């Protein structure tokens, strides 16, 4: 196991399972106040609902659409010291329905670092340098090459950006394994694209990331939210692997047992995003998965084993393990 300064990962991230009641209820089993809560109904087709403390309850985004920010008082209504409160929407709390929530802690809401090159001041933010996670809300300035602070104190490896106003704008994903000028879209099955040079040729520093003036991430006067992740040894890992098309699949070393694992084939189009965690099945092979780009209920296919120091692909499936390159995000148990 890799050395980590984070003794207890569940103080910063945890997946939580719960059963809906059909009326307002509070989930109070976390070790922290979550600043990003992502909820999915496991048993039926329904949207992926994302809430964060920077936008505030009940503002909701859906990772499976290009929809705008939407206030939904029937969904998440409060962020609490040890969890969150949900209302009666079937997407978050239908009677007797099974749910998973993925929860991240940020928490610092003042004192974000800037430098002489910073050109966009976030309108609000929350960051946690210990765990390498930040939520940045900002208004684009229409400048190609604007610099936006991310608050991590380390170079981000993954950044996920969504335009909040107006429908029709995709989720744009920077991943260190893709290289600069390239991106994926969280709500689509598209392969890597570099047509717009979204991030330019600039590698994010410990203070800023560079933004284009594209409508998707930097249009003048438009409002955006960005989730940023820096890698922390023994707690989080963001990388890539090459599939081998075999039931004796690729082994990927993370240095910890993942409790959250998101995978996307980046080298060709047509493949969903996949999220696995160590709670829904609780044993290997980890058959249960959800797809953030679809409304689909939880699927069950033998794809991989989650092991003490990474994950081992078991299936020669194009979704996770045929010839080609895949990117992943993993957080520790």
């Amino acid at each position: 196991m890799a050395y980590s300064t984070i003794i207890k990962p569940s103080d910063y991230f945890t997946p939580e399972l719960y059963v809906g009641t059909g009326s307002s209820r509070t989930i109070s089993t976390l070790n922290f106040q979550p600043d990003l809560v992502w909820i999915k109904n496991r048993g039926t087709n329904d949207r992926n609902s994302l809430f964060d403390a920077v936008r505030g309850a009940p503002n909701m985004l859906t990772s499976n659409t290009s929809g705008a920010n939407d206030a939904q008082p029937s969904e998440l209504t409060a962020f609490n010291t040890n969890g969150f409160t949900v209302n009666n929407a079937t997407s978050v709390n239908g009677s007797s329905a099974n749910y998973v929530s993925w929860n991240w802690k940020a928490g610092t809401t003042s004192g974000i670092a800037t430098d002489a090159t910073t050109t966009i001041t976030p309108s609000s933010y929350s960051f946690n340098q210990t765990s390498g996670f930040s939520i940045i809300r900002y208004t684009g300035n229409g400048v190609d090459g604007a610099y936006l602070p991310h608050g991590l104190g380390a170079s981000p490896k993954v950044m996920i950006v969504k335009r909040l106003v107006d429908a029709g704008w995709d989720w744009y994903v920077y991943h260190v394994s893709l290289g600069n000028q390239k991106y994926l879209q969280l709500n689509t099955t598209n392969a890597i694209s570099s047509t717009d040079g979204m991030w330019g040729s600039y590698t994010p520093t410990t203070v800023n990331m560079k933004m284009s003036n594209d409508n998707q991430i930097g249009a003048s006067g438009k409002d955006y939210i960005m989730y940023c992740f820096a890698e922390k040894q023994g707690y989080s890992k963001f990388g890539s692997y090459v599939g081998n098309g075999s039931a004796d699949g690729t082994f990927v070393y993370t240095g910890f047992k993942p409790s959250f694992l998101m995978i996307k084939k980046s080298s060709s189009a047509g493949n969903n995003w996949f999220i696995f965690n160590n709670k829904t099945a609780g044993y290997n092979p980890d058959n249960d998965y959800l797809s953030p780009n679809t409304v689909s209920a939880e699927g069950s296919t033998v794809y991989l084993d989650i092991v003490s120091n990474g994950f081992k692909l078991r299936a020669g499936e194009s979704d996770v393990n045929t010839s080609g390159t895949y990117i992943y995000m993993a957080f520790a148990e």
Side-chain angles (χ1 to χ4, degrees):
M1 299 295 288
Y3 168 79
S4 180
T5 58
I6 297 177
I7 304 303
K8 193 174 183 181
S10 60
D11 285 343
Y12 301 97
F13 168 78
T14 190
E16 191 70 16
L17 306 182
Y18 65 94
V19 178
T21 62
S23 60
S24 181
R25 66 163 299 184
T26 295
I27 308 300
S28 57
T29 50
L30 307 183
N31 294 337
F32 56 88
Q33 175 184 306
D35 295 289
L36 172 60
V37 178
W38 182 342
I39 300 174
K40 179 67 178 76
N41 188 327
R42 297 168 56 201
T44 190
N45 290 357
D46 215 330
R47 61 189 173 214
N48 286 262
S49 298
L50 284 82
F51 311 88
D52 63 70
V54 171
R55 286 179 295 129
N59 290 292
M60 182 270 299
L61 289 166
T62 56
S63 65
N64 52 273
T65 77
S66 59
N69 184 71
D70 189 14
Q72 286 287 339
S74 63
E75 296 206 18
L76 187 142
T77 58
F79 298 91
N80 306 320
T81 57
N82 58 356
F84 54 90
T85 300
V86 286
N87 207 340
N88 60 357
T90 59
S91 52
V92 298
N93 191 31
S95 178
S96 300
N98 292 310
Y99 296 87
V100 60
S101 69
W102 299 295
N103 308 278
W104 287 264
K105 173 182 173 61
T108 301
T109 57
S110 63
I112 193 169
T114 60
D115 63 21
T117 63
T118 304
T119 52
I120 299 177
T121 300
S123 54
S124 53
Y125 55 83
S126 185
F127 64 86
N128 193 305
Q129 293 190 347
T130 301
S131 63
F133 172 57
S134 67
I135 306 168
I136 307 295
R137 186 170 186 169
Y138 66 95
T139 300
N141 64 3
V143 174
D144 190 15
Y147 289 89
L148 172 70
H150 50 70
L152 297 177
S155 298
K157 303 295 186 184
V158 172
M159 300 178 292
I160 303 173
V161 182
K162 180 71 178 74
R163 180 163 158 171
L164 298 179
V165 292
D166 312 321
W169 301 103
D170 295 316
W171 294 74
Y172 287 84
V173 180
Y174 167 94
H175 191 288
V176 63
S177 298
L178 303 179
N180 299 331
Q181 296 187 334
K182 298 178 181 179
Y183 63 85
L184 289 166
Q185 294 160 307
L186 185 63
N187 57 303
T188 78
T189 61
N190 294 346
I192 295 172
S193 178
S194 58
T195 54
D196 291 324
M198 200 71 66
W199 328 104
S201 58
Y202 179 79
T203 299
T205 69
T206 59
V207 176
N208 296 305
M209 63 169 292
K210 191 175 184 179
M211 312 290 289
S212 74
N213 60 352
D214 289 11
N215 285 326
Q216 298 91 328
I217 68 169
S220 180
K222 300 301 181 181
D223 199 16
Y224 300 86
I225 199 79
M226 177 171 66
Y227 305 126
C228 302
F229 301 89
E231 196 168 272
K232 298 296 179 179
Q233 183 171 308
Y235 168 77
S236 59
K237 184 72 174 176
F238 314 109
S240 66
Y241 65 89
V242 176
N244 66 9
S246 170
D248 181 17
T250 301
F251 169 72
V252 181
Y253 176 80
T254 61
F256 53 82
K257 183 176 183 178
S259 64
F260 174 98
L261 175 63
M262 185 159 69
I263 295 173
K264 173 69 171 76
K265 189 170 189 177
S266 57
S267 56
S268 60
N271 295 89
N272 287 328
W273 294 76
F274 286 84
I275 297 177
F276 305 87
N277 68 78
N278 66 339
K279 285 193 174 183
T280 53
Y283 54 84
N284 285 321
D286 195 293
N287 297 342
D288 298 336
Y289 64 87
L290 289 160
S291 294
N293 60 293
T294 77
V295 298
S296 298
E298 191 170 73
S300 184
T301 299
V302 178
Y303 279 136
L304 55 83
D305 288 342
I306 291 177
V307 298
S308 63
N309 60 352
F311 58 98
K312 166 76 170 175
L313 284 306
R314 291 172 57 100
E317 297 278 351
S318 62
D319 297 320
V320 296
N321 189 36
T322 54
S323 178
T325 302
Y326 301 78
I327 59 99
Y328 70 88
M329 297 177 59
F331 294 89
E333 182 180 45

